[in-house]
Amino acid sequence: MILENILQPFNEWIGPALRSWFEIAILLIVAATVLGLFVAAVRNGPIRGLVITGRALRDGVVDIFCMSPRRLWGLTWLSVKDSIRRRVLVVFVFFLILLLFAGWFLDPSTDHPLRLYLSFILTSTSYLVLVLVLFLSAFSIPNELKNKTLHTVVTKPVRASEIVLGRMLGFALVGTVLLVVMGLISYVFVVRGLVHTHDLLPAKLTPIASAAGVDDKDVPLEGKSEISLGHLHEASISSKGTGRLEMTKDHWHSVTRKEGKEGEKPTYEVSGPEGLFIARVPVYGSLRFLDRDRNETDKGINVGDEWSYRSFIDGGSLAAAIWTFKDVDPNQFATELPIEATLAVFRTHKGNIEEGIPGSISIRNPKTGLTVEARIFKAKEFKTNVERIPRKITPTNVYFYKEEATGEEGKKRYVREEADAETRAKAEFDIFEDLSDNGTFEIWLQCLAPGQYYGAAQADLYLHARDASFGLNFIKGYFGIWMQMLLVIGFGVMFSTFLSGPIATLATVGMLIGGFFREYMIDLATGKTYGGGPVESFIRILTQQNVVVEMEAGLRTTVAKSVDAVLLKCLYVTAHLLPEFGKYSAADYVSYGFNTPANWIAQQGLTALGFVVVLFIAGYFFLKTREVAR
Amino acid sequence: MNARRRSFIRKIIYLCALVPLLIALSMLGRPATSGGEGRKADPGGKLAKLRAAENLNQSQWGEIDPAGEAIKLATFGMRGVAANLLWTDAIDAKKKKDWTKLSATLNQVVKLQPNFIKVWEFQSWNLSYNCSAEFDDYRDRYHWVIQGIKFLEKGINYNKSEPRLYQKTGWTISQKIGRADEKKQFRRLFIEDDEFHGTDRPKSERDNWLVGKEWYEKAADLIDNKGAILEGDSPLIFRSKAPMCQMNYAESMEKDGIFGEKARKAWSDALDEWSDYGKQDIPTYDNEIIHLGELNLLEEQLQKLSDKLDALAPGAREKLEQNKMANLSEAQRTALETSPRLRSPAQQALAYEAEGLTAISFDEISRQATGANRKKANELLEEIKVIQALTSRTQSYRGIVNYDYWGLRAAIEQNDDMLDARKLAYQAEKAFNEGGNLLEASAAFKGSVEAWAKVLRTNVDLIGGKVDSADAASDQQDTLMANNMLMTDKATNDDLDDLIEAYGKVLDQEDAMFPPDFPLAFYIRSRVQESDKIHAIAQTSEKAHKAIEDQDWVLAQENLETELGQWMLLMADIPSLMQGSDMATVSHILAEIQTYADVLAKQDKPFPESFNLRQFVWAQLEHDPITQAARGGYFAGSQAMAQKDFATAEKAFKQSVDAWTEALKKYPSIAGDKSLCREIIAAVDAYRKSLEAQNKELPDVTPLKSILDRWSEAVEPQP
C-alpha cells in the first residue's frame, strides 16, 4: 500500500494539533469580535457598540453552554422529520439502481478485484451521501425562513444555538442511518460478488512424481482448476489429499479430497476465497539508506522514475535500505517475525530472465552492531514478498556493522567487520534477545545481484503483526465517509444561517472542492508550482508565455508580483482553514487490505470535531445577527 | 368571458402550430425499424437514412454497450471533458504504478468514447509495451501483454469493421510476443494460455505467429470483402504482414527444435503465401497498380521491346557503346574492367561514374532510327517508357519488403541440406549447452557446417523450381546473385556467424583449431572481403610495400604496424579467424608478419615483445605440428638424458632444435616472446649438454643465435 505521508504517533500529534486549533480559534474569535465591534460602533456609536458587543458575547457564552438537552433533542427530531418529509429516501432508490448496474462496470477478473469493488462502493456511497446532506443542510434554514416555519419555532423559548446544533445533529442522524443501511447492503454486495469457488476435476490433475511402489492415490498432484469469476488457479495437492489453489487475484482456496464410492474416482472440495477479505495490522519502521560507500543517507538512488516515492539501492554492494523498528512488543511475535515487503526491481542489464533478482534480509542490533543474515530471497515486483523469519535464527552469515567516524558532523558511515569465532560458532540467534535493544532492531535489505537495483519506500516493508476483522475495517471505511458527511453538514448549516439555499449550496461545494485541492492550493501559495499567482498567470495567458519562462523585469511584473503576493497570502490562509476532505477517506486502507489504525481514526475524528465545533459557533453567531432569531 | 375565449383561441393556434412542427420532426428524426412478421421494415426518417448511408449508426460499428450509453448520458454532454479528466487520471495511475487503477480508468475512458479508434490503439500499446516492461517477472510482463491484446479485442467488439484494430491485434500477438527479449518465455506461455485461447483450441494452433496471422487475414478480409478502408499502413506493407507471419512461424519453429516435414511444410506454405502476395494488386504512390511477382515478366517484355527497337536502328547500340567507351578516361576504364568485388573505394566511385557515362538510353537508340523507322521507333519508345516505369517501381517496391530475399529464403529452407544444417546446429547447441557433451556437439557442428557449405555452394538445384514461375531463377547468373544475396544477407550472416562462433567455442574446449579444410572457409573469406575494414587494410599494406620498394624502412615499419593493428580490429569482428577458420587469410596475415620481421631486421631492430597480433600468432603456433615436434623432441631428449642414453638424447634434442629453427622462420615473432624463447634456450642448452657428455661440440645454430644473444641473460636457465 502506498503511504506518501506516514501517520504521526498520536501522542506526538495531539499537542501541536491542539495548540494550533486553539490559536486559530482565538484568532477567529478576536477577528469576529473586532469586526462585530466595528459594525456595532458604526451603527450605534462607540460606547453603545461596545455594550452591544459585550452583551452578544455574554449571550453567546450562555447560549452555547446552557443548552437544554430536551429542547436540543426536540429540534434534532424536527430536522429528522423535516428530512424525511423532503424525501431523502429517494437516495436509496438511486443507490440500489447503482448496485444493480454495478455488475456492468466491475470486472471481477481484474488483478485486485476487492480493490476495484471497494473503491467503487466507497466512492459511490460517499458521493450520494455527501450530495444528499449538502442539499438537506444548505436548504433547510433558508426554506424554513421562506415558509415562515422557523417563526413558529422561535416563538417557543429556544436558543439560537439549539436551533443550529439541532439542525446539525438531526441531519447527522439521518445521514448516519443512511450510511449504516448502505454499508450493510454494500458489504453483502461486495462479499456476494467475490465469494466463489472453483471446480477441480481429477482428470485435469497430473502426478508430480510417480515413485515406484506408491499407490496412485498417494502421489502428490498438480494441475489447474476450472475458470470461475474470470480466472483459474494452479492447484497442488499433497499426497494426503489436502492442498490449495495457489495465490491469484489476491486470494487462494484450500482443497480437500472426498473419497468416492467404490470404483468411483475421488472428488475435490474447494473452499471459498481465502486471504481476500483481510485487514492486516502492520508495524512500520522508519527508513534510511546506506549508499555503496556505506554512508548513511535519507534517500537512495533515483533510477529515473518520475515519481520519487521509492528510492533505490544498488546490488552487489554494501548499499542497503534500513528500517528501524522501535519498541516492538516481543509478545506480538512469539514464534516468528513475518516480514512483508513490496519492492521495486530495476535492472540495468537483462540478466537471467527466468530468475528473480536475489536479495537478503538481515537483522541488526543497533546497540552492538551484531548483524545476522536471516534470509536470501528473490524479489517479486509489485507483489507482496512474505518472509517469515523464525524467532530463533540459524544464520547464513554473521557480521558486525559498526559506525565509523567520518570526521564530518551528522554524517555516519558503517564498516563491516567479520564476527569473532565465538559469535560465529553460535548456532542460533534470538531476534528479541540477541538482535534487539529493548525491542528496537533494524532490518537491512540488500540486493545481491551486481548491476541490478532494489527500490523501496518506508511503507513498503512492515511486520505483519496480526489480522484484524475485515468487517470492522469495512465499518471504519464508512466512518471516513461519516466524517466527511459531518463536515459537509457543518458547512451547509453554517452557511445557510446567513445565505439563501442555492448560495449556501454553492459555498459548501466550494469548500468541498477547495478541501479536495487543499494541497494544491498550498503548493500554489508557497510558490511550489510554476506560473506564479492569479495576476501573473493571467498575464501569461494573454501574452502566451510559457510557465517556466521568467517574466520580463519591469513595472508591470513588479505590480503583478506584489498583488499576487497579497492574493497568494490570502489563498494560503484560506487553504489552511479548509478541511482536507481527501484525508478523511479510509478507502485505501480498506481496499488494500490494511487495518485502519485507531490512531488515524482518532486524529481524523478530532480534526473533524474541531471543525464542526467552530462551524457550530460561527453558525450560531450568524443566526443571531438575523432578525428572526433575536 | 372574452378573456377565456381569447385564451381558448390562443391554445388552438398553438396546437395548429405544433402539428407541422411535429410532422417535420417525425420526417427528420423517425428511427429505423427492422421488418418482422406482417410488418414492413421502415428505413426511418431523414436523419436515420443519412446515418445508415454514411455508416454512422453505432449498431453498424459494433456492439452497443448499455453501461457506456448510460455513462455518456450521465455526463450531460460533458463527455469530452470527462474523458480528458479520466485520461489524466490514467497517466497519473501509470506514473504511480497503480496498475489496477490504470486498467479501471482505461475501461471508463473507453466506455465514454468506444468508437475513438486511436484510444484503443494507443492504450493497448501502453499496456502491452509500457506497463509490461515495468514488471520484473516475465510472467507478469506476459500478463500485461495479454491485457493489451484483450483490450484491443474489446475495442473490436465495439468497432467490428475497423481494420486498424485487427491489424494492431495481429501486430501485438505476433511481434510483441515473438520479438521481445523474453520471446522464448512469452511464446511458451502463450501456447499454454488456456484462459486466452479457450480450452478447445489445440496447442499446435496456438503459435503466436499463426494467431497473429489470423488477425491480419481478418483485417484483409474486411478490406477486400466488407468495404472497410485501409488506414495507417501502405497496402504494400499491410499485405506482406500475413505471409511474413508464416515465415516467422517457420523460423521460430526451427528455433524451438522442430524440423523435418513439419518445418518443410511451414516453409512451403510460407513460399506459397509469398507468391500469392506477389500476385496481389499493389497500388503505388502514383496510383499505378503493380504486382511484385511480375518483375521477370516486365523485364522480358522490356527486353523484347528493346530488341524490336534495336532492329529499327541496326548497329546503333554497338556504335554508341564504342563511342562512349572511347570517351572514358584511363582510370575509369580500368575501374570498370576490375571485378566489382575487387574495386577499391575510389575505383567504385569511378566505376559508378563510368557506368553512368556508358549507359545507353532508349531515347538515344530511337534517335538513331531513320526514315519510316523513326516514327515506329518513337511509338515503341512510348511503350518502353511505360514498361520501364513499371519495372523500376516494381523493383523499388520489392526492395522495400525484401521480396527477393524472402522468396529465396523460403525456397532454400525447404532444401534437405538446409533442414539438416538447421537441425544439426540445434542439436549441437543443445548438446553443448545442456549436456556439455563435446564429442556430440562437435560432430553435429561439423555436420551442420558441411550442410551449410553445400547450401551456399549449390547452384541451380537450390531453387528447385518452387519459386513462382515468374520468379524462377533459371540461369547461372541469377543463382549466383541469389547465393550472393544469401551470403550477404544480415539474417543469414547472423545465423552463420552464431553457428561458427558456437562451433569455435566447442573446438576451443577441445583445444583444437578449425580444420584446414573448414567447409565454410570461403564464407569467412567473403566476410573478410565484405568487411568495412578491408579497404583500409589494403591501402596501408600498399603503402608499406611501396615503402619497402623505396627502401624506406621506417615508413614501412610504421605502415606495417598500422596494418597489423587493423587486422586485429577486423579479427574482433570475425573472431573465428583466430582459430584458423580460413587458412588463406591466416597465411596472408602470417606473411605480413614475416614482412614486418624482415623490415625490422633491415633496421637491426629486435622483434618487439608486444605487438598487435601476438595472441593470434600464439594460437596458430600452439596448434602447429612444428611446435609440437619441438616440444616432443625436448621431452624425449630429457627422458633419454635421465637414463644417460646420450646418443638418443642428442638425436631428440637435435630434432627439437631443428623444429624450433623452422618455427622461428615461420613465426618470426617468437623472437619477442620471452616464454617461448625460454623453451628454445632450454632446448639448445640441453642439446649442448647431451653433446658435451659425448665430448662433441655444439654445431652451428645461427638462426637461433639472435634469440640466445638477446634472451640468455634475461632468462634464467631451467633446471
Side-chain angles (χ1 to χ4, degrees):
Chain A
M1 184 191 165
I2 290 156
L3 281 180
E4 294 195 72
N5 300 308
I6 297 285
L7 206 59
Q8 260 182 314
F10 187 75
N11 49 4
E12 283 174 29
W13 172 83
I14 185 73
L18 270 181
R19 202 178 59 227
S20 64
W21 186 82
F22 274 113
E23 278 169 10
I24 293 171
I26 288 166
L27 208 74
L28 282 176
I29 290 169
V30 171
T33 313
V34 170
L35 192 73
L37 191 63
F38 178 72
V39 173
V42 169
R43 279 191 185 164
N44 307 304
I47 296 175
R48 182 137 173 74
L50 205 65
V51 174
I52 290 174
T53 315
R55 202 181 292 152
L57 278 178
R58 188 202 63 203
D59 285 355
V61 172
V62 172
D63 273 351
I64 287 165
F65 287 99
C66 305
M67 284 186 287
S68 136
R70 207 170 54 84
R71 283 199 302 263
L72 191 59
W73 170 245
L75 283 162
T76 305
W77 189 240
L78 187 69
S79 319
V80 173
K81 281 200 284 193
D82 179 41
S83 312
I84 295 168
R85 201 168 54 239
R86 285 162 63 195
R87 301 204 179 88
V88 285
L89 294 174
V90 174
V91 82
F92 270 123
V93 181
F94 261 118
F95 185 65
L96 289 177
I97 292 175
L98 202 70
L99 287 194
L100 272 178
F101 290 105
W104 285 348
F105 310 96
L106 301 175
D107 173 16
S109 69
T110 172
D111 288 348
H112 307 284
L114 184 71
R115 240 180 254 179
L116 190 69
Y117 268 62
L118 284 177
S119 66
F120 168 75
I121 281 292
L122 292 173
T123 322
S124 49
T125 314
S126 70
Y127 282 154
L128 276 179
V129 171
L130 293 190
V131 170
L132 175 85
V133 296
L134 169 70
F135 283 109
L136 273 184
S137 57
F139 276 91
S140 146
I141 293 180
N143 269 354
E144 289 190 18
L145 279 171
K146 205 164 115 191
N147 303 338
K148 314 243 160 42
T149 40
L150 195 64
H151 295 74
T152 53
V153 176
V154 291
T155 49
K156 305 276 170 4
V158 289
R159 296 176 193 275
S161 56
E162 287 161 354
I163 295 176
V164 175
L165 194 60
R167 298 277 137 189
M168 287 184 178
L169 288 181
F171 298 140
L173 191 62
V174 172
T176 310
V177 173
L178 273 178
L179 272 179
V180 168
V181 180
M182 283 178 167
L184 279 175
I185 297 174
S186 351
Y187 185 78
V188 175
F189 173 79
V190 171
V191 172
R192 271 192 56 112
L194 295 177
V195 168
H196 66 284
T197 173
H198 294 261
D199 285 335
L200 188 61
L201 306 177
K204 290 206 175 164
L205 295 173
T206 48
I208 293 176
S210 51
V214 176
D215 189 32
D216 254 358
K217 213 174 85 180
D218 292 335
V219 171
L221 302 167
E222 63 180 2
K224 279 179 183 163
S225 73
E226 296 300 295
I227 295 176
S228 167
L229 277 192
H231 68 274
L232 50 73
H233 298 256
E234 305 268 339
S236 54
I237 313 289
S238 75
S239 55
K240 286 181 190 134
T242 55
R244 63 184 238 162
L245 302 185
E246 298 301 337
M247 188 74 131
T248 310
K249 318 272 178 202
D250 294 340
H251 69 278
W252 75 89
H253 302 263
S254 342
V255 180
T256 40
R257 181 159 60 199
K258 291 263 152 144
E259 296 304 334
K261 285 176 203 157
E262 206 54 29
E264 281 179 22
K265 280 205 160 185
T267 53
Y268 291 95
E269 201 170 284
V270 180
S271 73
E274 290 176 40
L276 185 62
F277 303 110
I278 53 165
R280 278 167 281 206
V281 180
V283 175
Y284 289 112
S286 61
L287 174 65
R288 67 185 199 279
F289 292 88
L290 218 59
D291 68 13
R292 54 160 60 234
D293 301 320
R294 313 179 319 274
N295 293 313
E296 194 179 286
T297 55
D298 291 340
K299 283 255 159 202
I301 293 167
N302 185 337
V303 294
D305 275 338
E306 189 183 352
W307 186 49
S308 54
Y309 175 64
R310 293 196 171 91
S311 305
F312 288 72
I313 50 170
D314 34 8
S317 75
L318 290 178
I322 305 167
W323 281 266
T324 309
F325 293 88
K326 276 192 182 145
D327 309 325
V328 179
D329 177 11
N331 298 326
Q332 261 188 315
F333 305 99
T335 55
E336 59 179 14
L337 196 67
I339 298 175
E340 296 193 355
T342 314
L343 303 174
V345 175
F346 180 77
R347 297 192 186 214
T348 56
H349 59 91
K350 197 160 52 162
N352 183 352
I353 294 180
E354 304 247 358
E355 296 284 336
I357 300 294
S360 70
I361 288 179
S362 309
I363 300 178
R364 176 179 180 264
N365 183 334
K367 199 175 175 190
T368 62
L370 176 67
T371 308
V372 163
E373 192 174 77
R375 193 59 59 88
I376 306 258
F377 68 105
K378 287 195 173 129
K380 295 178 286 241
E381 197 176 18
F382 301 122
K383 284 183 185 153
T384 310
N385 297 263
V386 181
E387 300 297 335
R388 298 179 176 280
I389 313 275
R391 172 86 182 252
K392 294 200 184 304
I393 305 171
T394 315
T396 42
N397 272 314
V398 187
Y399 308 106
F400 280 93
Y401 271 100
K402 292 204 166 149
E403 271 182 42
E404 192 184 50
T406 55
E408 280 177 70
E409 208 178 315
K411 241 187 151 183
K412 276 187 195 168
R413 183 155 61 216
Y414 289 83
V415 62
R416 187 165 86 176
E417 289 170 8
E418 292 302 319
D420 50 82
E422 194 193 338
T423 316
R424 258 184 288 146
K426 211 171 159 188
E428 278 185 342
F429 293 87
D430 185 290
I431 295 177
F432 287 97
E433 280 166 22
D434 301 315
L435 297 168
S436 76
D437 173 27
N438 289 326
T440 300
F441 57 87
E442 292 174 354
I443 290 184
W444 287 44
L445 173 81
Q446 283 170 311
C447 173
L448 300 178
Q452 319 287 36
Y453 293 73
Y454 272 176
Q458 184 158 342
D460 281 344
L461 187 145
Y462 55 87
L463 310 176
H464 183 169
R466 62 189 171 85
D467 284 331
S469 144
F470 173 76
L472 195 63
N473 205 27
F474 191 83
I475 294 174
K476 289 179 189 167
Y478 267 77
F479 181 71
I481 304 177
W482 186 81
M483 287 188 287
Q484 291 178 335
M485 179 193 83
L486 219 55
L487 288 170
V488 172
I489 292 174
F491 275 107
V493 170
M494 189 270 284
F495 282 128
S496 73
T497 52
F498 64 100
L499 295 172
S500 72
I503 306 295
T505 312
L506 274 181
T508 314
V509 170
M511 287 289 150
L512 211 68
I513 293 175
F516 275 115
F517 291 97
R518 184 172 178 261
E519 286 284 294
Y520 178 70
M521 284 161 72
I522 292 173
D523 280 354
L524 208 66
T526 48
K528 278 186 194 153
T529 51
Y530 291 108
V535 181
E536 188 183 326
S537 308
F538 189 65
I539 294 173
R540 281 181 193 274
I541 290 171
L542 287 185
T543 55
Q544 301 194 350
Q545 204 174 6
N546 193 314
V547 287
V548 288
V549 175
E550 274 291 310
M551 293 275 282
E552 211 176 292
L555 183 67
R556 188 181 71 181
T557 308
T558 318
V559 172
K561 290 213 170 184
S562 341
V563 177
D564 273 348
V566 177
L567 289 175
L568 286 179
K569 206 82 210 155
C570 295
L571 187 69
Y572 185 80
V573 174
T574 319
H576 276 91
L577 289 178
L578 293 175
E580 206 175 341
F581 271 98
K583 258 198 168 174
Y584 292 91
S585 164
D588 273 358
Y589 283 114
V590 185
S591 58
Y592 280 82
F594 282 83
N595 184 40
T596 315
N599 178 13
W600 181 89
I601 292 187
Q603 289 187 19
Q604 302 306 332
L606 281 178
T607 322
L609 193 68
F611 270 106
V612 172
V613 167
V614 173
L615 290 172
F616 156 60
I617 295 171
Y620 160 75
F621 277 107
F622 283 128
L623 190 65
K624 278 290 267 188
T625 60
R626 303 198 62 150
E627 218 169 312
V628 62
R630 280 199 197 130
Chain B
M1 186 68 196
N2 230 350
R4 277 181 78 183
R5 197 183 151 79
R6 232 181 286 138
S7 135
F8 177 73
I9 290 170
R10 203 166 53 231
K11 276 171 195 158
I12 293 294
I13 293 171
Y14 285 160
L15 254 180
C16 292
L18 266 177
V19 172
L21 280 176
L22 280 175
I23 292 172
L25 197 68
S26 155
M27 280 169 68
L28 272 175
R30 188 158 39 93
T33 52
S34 55
E37 257 179 77
R39 270 188 299 124
K40 265 207 220 155
D42 178 11
K46 181 76 185 158
L47 284 177
K49 280 185 205 160
L50 267 175
R51 261 202 297 270
E54 301 292 331
N55 232 0
L56 287 173
N57 265 342
Q58 195 139 38
S59 56
Q60 287 167 307
W61 295 342
E63 229 166 66
I64 295 179
D65 171 22
E69 296 301 314
I71 300 184
K72 276 190 231 170
L73 285 176
T75 54
F76 297 112
M78 305 276 272
R79 179 153 73 117
V81 178
N84 273 346
L85 282 176
L86 287 170
W87 190 274
T88 38
D89 270 5
I91 293 173
D92 190 60
K94 192 182 148 212
K95 189 175 93 178
K96 298 196 169 175
K97 308 189 185 210
D98 188 344
W99 313 114
T100 310
K101 192 177 165 201
L102 175 68
S103 296
T105 316
L106 291 185
N107 280 332
Q108 288 163 2
V109 173
V110 293
K111 283 242 161 21
L112 283 173
Q113 300 183 323
N115 305 109
F116 197 153
I117 303 302
K118 261 281 165 237
V119 173
W120 294 104
E121 279 189 291
F122 175 81
Q123 292 295 5
S124 78
W125 163 79
N126 204 2
L127 294 174
S128 287
Y129 282 76
N130 294 342
C131 296
S132 82
E134 292 279 353
F135 284 80
D136 188 51
D137 191 326
Y138 69 93
R139 281 164 291 228
D140 292 328
R141 292 183 184 207
Y142 172 77
H143 171 78
W144 282 94
V145 172
I146 293 296
Q147 291 300 105
I149 295 168
K150 283 186 178 162
F151 189 73
L152 277 170
E153 285 182 343
K154 203 160 145 202
I156 287 172
N157 266 340
Y158 292 114
N159 306 280
K160 290 199 190 296
S161 49
E162 189 49 69
R164 270 186 287 169
L165 291 180
Y166 289 80
Q167 267 202 72
K168 187 89 185 167
T169 315
W171 172 269
T172 316
I173 293 177
S174 56
Q175 299 287 334
K176 179 64 192 169
I177 294 179
R179 288 256 182 269
D181 272 352
E182 310 84 350
K183 55 177 174 278
K184 199 170 140 200
Q185 290 80 8
F186 280 2
R187 279 169 48 78
R188 189 180 72 216
L189 289 172
F190 190 67
I191 287 172
E192 285 166 5
D193 196 341
D194 287 342
E195 267 178 82
F196 182 78
H197 297 286
T199 39
D200 38 342
R201 191 178 174 120
K203 286 196 172 167
S204 59
E205 288 170 22
R206 289 183 183 180
D207 191 281
N208 71 302
W209 295 107
L210 290 184
V211 179
K213 191 172 98 176
E214 278 172 23
W215 284 98
Y216 284 129
E217 284 168 351
K218 280 184 197 166
D221 179 56
L222 281 178
I223 293 165
D224 295 339
N225 305 320
K226 311 232 164 76
I229 296 165
L230 174 65
E231 280 175 284
D233 245 348
S234 75
L236 175 76
I237 302 292
F238 170 67
R239 300 282 176 186
S240 75
K241 282 179 175 167
M244 276 310 297
C245 275
Q246 180 68 31
M247 299 266 187
N248 288 319
Y249 166 62
E251 200 176 15
S252 316
M253 184 187 261
E254 290 181 336
K255 291 220 165 97
D256 292 345
I258 300 169
F259 300 96
E261 279 318 304
K262 220 175 155 191
R264 198 197 303 274
K265 171 84 175 45
W267 280 112
S268 131
D269 287 349
L271 183 59
D272 290 345
E273 283 173 31
W274 198 245
S275 303
D276 286 343
Y277 169 51
K279 288 175 195 152
Q280 298 244 13
D281 288 357
I282 304 289
T284 62
Y285 61 89
D286 50 359
N287 286 329
E288 292 284 348
I289 299 288
I290 58 165
H291 302 100
L292 298 183
E294 286 180 357
L295 183 65
N296 280 31
L297 220 63
L298 286 171
E299 281 171 347
E300 273 171 36
Q301 239 176 315
L302 196 61
Q303 190 55 48
K304 273 186 201 154
L305 292 172
S306 159
D307 291 348
K308 266 192 198 172
L309 188 66
D310 284 349
L312 291 176
R317 186 178 290 273
E318 291 75 20
K319 216 171 99 189
L320 281 168
E321 239 168 38
Q322 278 167 8
N323 288 346
K324 289 196 172 186
M325 281 302 274
N327 287 338
L328 288 183
S329 71
E330 186 55 40
Q332 281 172 334
R333 202 169 308 132
T334 322
L336 203 57
E337 278 158 10
T338 314
S339 156
R341 296 187 80 175
L342 303 176
R343 286 173 191 157
S344 69
Q347 277 182 321
Q348 276 173 8
L350 283 171
Y352 180 73
E353 230 173 70
E355 272 163 14
L357 288 171
T358 52
I360 297 158
S361 71
F362 293 107
D363 279 300
E364 285 172 297
I365 296 179
S366 78
R367 258 182 256 130
Q368 301 290 323
T370 49
N373 280 353
R374 185 65 181 261
K375 194 176 167 224
K376 275 188 203 163
N378 280 341
E379 280 167 12
L380 212 52
L381 191 64
E382 288 307 305
E383 218 176 312
I384 285 177
K385 279 191 174 156
V386 172
I387 302 290
Q388 225 181 353
L390 278 180
T391 313
S392 84
R393 219 148 295 159
T394 310
Q395 271 167 341
S396 73
Y397 273 64
R398 277 164 73 112
I400 294 171
V401 291
N402 227 349
Y403 186 81
D404 294 322
Y405 169 75
W406 285 110
L408 177 77
R409 171 92 191 265
I412 287 178
E413 292 283 357
Q414 296 174 50
N415 185 300
D416 284 337
D417 286 328
M418 194 70 230
L419 286 168
D420 275 353
R422 298 263 185 218
K423 188 177 173 181
L424 287 168
Y426 177 80
Q427 286 171 347
E429 292 256 10
K430 208 173 163 198
F432 183 58
N433 290 335
E434 285 171 21
N437 187 339
L438 284 182
L439 276 180
E440 197 186 319
S442 175
F445 271 128
K446 193 163 173 273
S448 175
V449 163
E450 279 164 6
W452 259 110
K454 231 164 138 187
V455 170
L456 292 177
R457 281 181 186 282
T458 314
N459 293 332
V460 188
D461 297 326
L462 204 65
I463 310 299
K466 280 208 175 177
V467 189
D468 185 282
S469 64
D471 277 316
S474 51
D475 63 80
Q476 191 84 5
Q477 190 73 34
D478 272 9
T479 315
L480 273 179
M481 186 278 296
N483 273 350
N484 223 343
M485 192 159 72
L486 204 63
M487 294 237 299
T488 52
D489 174 71
K490 171 101 178 44
T492 316
N493 281 346
D494 286 350
D495 280 353
L496 279 170
D497 292 349
D498 288 349
L499 175 72
I500 294 171
E501 192 189 326
Y503 188 16
K505 265 189 208 157
V506 174
L507 289 174
D508 195 38
Q509 297 244 323
E510 290 180 322
D511 195 23
M513 303 282 273
F514 283 101
D517 55 346
F518 180 54
L520 283 177
F522 73 96
Y523 166 74
I524 298 287
R525 209 168 316 137
S526 92
R527 292 284 281 155
V528 173
Q529 293 300 334
E530 298 290 330
S531 161
D532 52 348
K533 303 186 173 78
I534 200 71
H535 278 298
I537 293 179
Q539 274 171 357
T540 331
S541 171
E542 206 179 300
K543 274 186 214 160
H545 286 276
K546 179 103 194 327
I548 292 171
E549 269 176 43
D550 300 345
Q551 304 207 339
D552 181 351
W553 307 119
V554 177
L555 185 66
Q557 181 192 341
E558 201 178 284
N559 277 310
L560 280 166
E561 273 167 3
T562 316
E563 187 195 338
L564 296 185
Q566 285 166 333
W567 275 112
M568 196 175 76
L569 289 178
L570 188 140
M571 236 170 259
D573 295 345
I574 311 170
S576 65
L577 275 178
M578 192 81 98
Q579 288 171 281
S581 56
D582 173 36
M583 280 322 283
T585 311
V586 169
S587 308
H588 176 77
I589 300 172
L590 289 176
E592 290 296 280
I593 296 173
Q594 183 77 54
T595 316
Y596 176 56
D598 292 345
V599 168
L600 289 174
K602 290 275 180 209
Q603 302 173 77
D604 284 333
K605 285 185 186 167
F607 204 96
E609 276 184 63
S610 70
F611 81 114
N612 276 330
L613 289 172
R614 193 166 166 236
Q615 202 68 28
F616 163 76
V617 175
W618 184 81
Q620 310 308 313
L621 193 112
E622 284 294 309
H623 294 94
D624 198 312
I626 306 173
T627 327
Q628 278 151 17
R631 286 183 179 148
Y634 180 72
F635 182 69
S638 304
Q639 274 184 331
M641 279 291 273
Q643 289 163 5
K644 311 260 187 228
D645 181 356
F646 299 118
T648 317
E650 180 202 332
K651 214 171 137 194
F653 285 133
K654 183 173 186 314
Q655 187 199 335
S656 173
V657 170
D658 289 348
W660 278 124
T661 314
E662 206 181 320
L664 184 64
K665 228 186 270 173
K666 193 168 173 187
Y667 306 102
S669 64
I670 290 179
D673 191 317
K674 192 169 169 181
S675 71
L676 283 171
C677 289
R678 181 182 288 154
E679 284 187 57
I680 295 173
I681 291 170
V684 174
D685 209 39
Y687 184 32
R688 193 183 55 235
K689 277 181 188 157
S690 73
L691 288 167
E692 275 170 7
Q694 300 172 71
N695 289 327
K696 291 183 190 169
E697 274 201 10
L698 186 70
D700 181 31
V701 284
T702 316
L704 296 179
K705 202 161 176 308
S706 64
I707 290 178
L708 298 178
D709 293 345
R710 180 170 171 193
W711 294 106
S712 286
E713 278 172 26
V715 175
E716 283 174 29
Q718 282 188 324

